[in-house]
Amino acid sequence: MTPARTEPNTAMQPYSEYSGSAEYLHLLSIPAWEQMAGRLTAALSGADPATGTVVEFGAGTGLGTHILLDTLAPAPVLAAEPSAQLRAVFLARMAARHDRDRIPVFPGGAVELPLPDRIAAVTGMHMIGHLAPTQRHALFAALKPRLTPGAPVVFNVQPPDTAVEVPEWPPFGTTVGRLRYEGTGVPYRPHPTGCAGP
């Protein structure tokens, strides 16, 4: 007897803005991180890993986490990622590292993360636009007294630098096996709260 096929109950699954793209995000993000790696490493050059914890907001699938671990050893890297789908990829990738004991992972975003007392460096790649202005101000205020002397704080901001309507951009992608994977961005309209994210 063949059991009846059941469809997943999507109503019971928490919504994530990455729900439709999570399985492809790592693959499609690799080229951008290859371009950013050198600049991020240079920006972190003034950090003293012996002085505290490295904090990574919006760790995604861990493309930037590898850079932090390799550049700022032996400091622990506290990674925060609110998306369960992206954390699944993150944890699978970090499990292969010999120094995975340096990587505590917080299942939440920058606003919810309990900050360590001493921070040797901070990064937030592709995530600051997901926070409303009041949340950004509160985050920076909380970080300031915890930063050790000379600790770099590195965030990037994707263009445009003001809340304006953004049209769809041309597809980009990569080939794996005989399949081509492509992504694009849907038109963006400013959020009434001033938040730059969707």
Side-chain angles (χ1 to χ4, degrees):
M1 180 177 192
T2 304
R5 183 174 177 227
T6 57
E7 295 296 328
N9 184 359
T10 55
M12 297 297 292
Q13 298 175 9
Y15 169 77
S16 165
E17 62 190 270
Y18 295 106
S19 294
S21 62
E23 61 186 299
Y24 310 110
L25 190 66
H26 178 79
L27 183 65
L28 295 175
S29 297
I30 291 173
W33 273 100
E34 288 174 342
Q35 294 178 10
M36 286 196 308
R39 287 177 287 169
L40 179 57
T41 301
L44 296 169
S45 62
D48 182 352
T51 61
T53 299
V54 177
V55 176
E56 181 184 23
F57 297 119
T61 63
L63 285 162
T65 314
H66 282 293
I67 297 171
L68 299 177
L69 291 165
D70 294 340
T71 304
L72 300 176
V77 176
L78 174 57
E81 175 49 55
S83 167
Q85 295 102 323
L86 300 188
R87 282 199 314 275
V89 180
F90 179 99
L91 290 167
R93 298 182 71 235
M94 294 303 139
R97 289 192 62 108
H98 71 281
D99 55 355
R100 58 184 177 271
D101 60 329
R102 292 173 52 207
I103 321 164
V105 184
F106 179 75
V111 174
E112 298 86 16
L113 178 67
L115 295 173
D117 292 334
R118 294 179 59 79
I119 300 176
V122 178
T123 65
M125 300 292 103
H126 310 302
M127 56 71 59
I128 196 66
H130 294 276
L131 303 183
T134 54
Q135 294 175 317
R136 298 175 206 167
H137 292 308
L139 178 62
F140 294 143
L143 286 170
K144 185 176 178 180
R146 294 171 166 84
L147 297 172
T148 60
V153 177
V154 185
F155 288 84
N156 69 336
V157 180
Q158 294 175 294
D161 57 4
T162 56
V164 296
E165 187 168 334
V166 177
E168 184 173 349
W169 60 80
F172 58 94
T174 188
T175 300
V176 177
R178 292 182 293 175
L179 297 178
R180 174 78 177 170
Y181 296 89
E182 292 188 345
T184 184
V186 297
Y188 162 74
R189 292 171 181 82
H191 192 279
T193 64
C195 179

